[in-house]
Amino acid sequence: MERTLSIVKPDGVKKNVIGEVIRRFEQKGLRVAGLRLIQLSTQDAKNFYIVHKERPFYESLTSFMSEGPIAVMVLEGDNAIATVRETMGATNFKDAAPGTIRADFATDIERNVVHGSDSVKSADYEIPFFFSSLDLH
Ligand code: UDP
Ligand code: MG
């Protein structure tokens, strides 16, 4: 059993696909262990994406991630991290496999609808960033 953090990004919330994203994760056998709708400040977004602070897209990404509400969730199940990454598709929607969330809904390499932790180490940083143990079920 493994836990991972996923986010429906501001573009996904605006496209009204929160339910569709969750449905796809549930259909893969994952269970929602925690769920919140929140809006980040730009500083919150910078802290969340701190691993990317030297990347050229850091300022634009953190501005985008704070432009509107996001749906943040913890998903639980066997191989949850890899299952979420497969269901999301590649970072660049142009490279994302058919039938993945990003292939179906993303419009831009930045505005790619969904986030998922990329490793156990990332999940161990990202889950407590948003959820206390009392918020996880
Ligand atoms: N991103 C971007 N330009 C790039 C690479 C990434 O705008 O060239 C954005 C995109 O929203 C991506 C996020 O930065 O989802 C984090 O990048 P990462 O490489 O961690 O991709 P992910 O793990 O989300 O697939
Ligand atoms: Mg990543």
Side-chain angles (χ1 to χ4, degrees), residues 1-2 30 77-84:
M1 197 58 81
E2 190 172 74
L30 299 176
D78 292 333
N79 299 312
I81 293 170
T83 302
V84 165

Side-chain angles (χ1 to χ4, degrees), residues 9 49 51-52 55-58 60-61 64-65 85 88-92 102 108-118:
K9 296 183 179 185
Y49 275 120
V51 292
H52 290 320
R55 307 289 290 276
F57 56 82
Y58 184 61
S60 178
L61 171 64
F64 159 55
M65 287 299 290
R85 297 287 303 187
M88 284 165 43
T91 306
N92 188 343
R102 284 166 166 173
D108 186 286
I109 189 168
E110 178 176 87
R111 293 175 176 267
N112 59 5
V113 182
V114 71
H115 167 85
S117 307
D118 67 2

Side-chain angles (χ1 to χ4, degrees), residues 15-77:
K15 286 177 174 152
N16 219 19
V17 296
I18 297 172
E20 175 63 18
V21 169
I22 294 175
R23 187 187 69 78
R24 291 181 183 211
F25 292 146
E26 288 179 334
Q27 217 156 41
K28 294 282 173 69
L30 299 176
R31 197 180 67 76
V32 176
L35 183 61
R36 297 177 65 194
L37 193 64
I38 60 171
Q39 182 158 1
L40 297 176
S41 67
T42 52
Q43 189 57 56
D44 294 329
K46 285 181 176 180
N47 293 341
F48 179 75
Y49 275 120
I50 195 75
V51 292
H52 290 320
K53 68 177 187 301
E54 307 299 342
R55 307 289 290 276
F57 56 82
Y58 184 61
E59 287 293 327
S60 178
L61 171 64
T62 53
S63 163
F64 159 55
M65 287 299 290
S66 55
E67 76 179 24
I70 58 176
V72 188
M73 69 197 82
V74 173
L75 296 155
E76 182 177 87

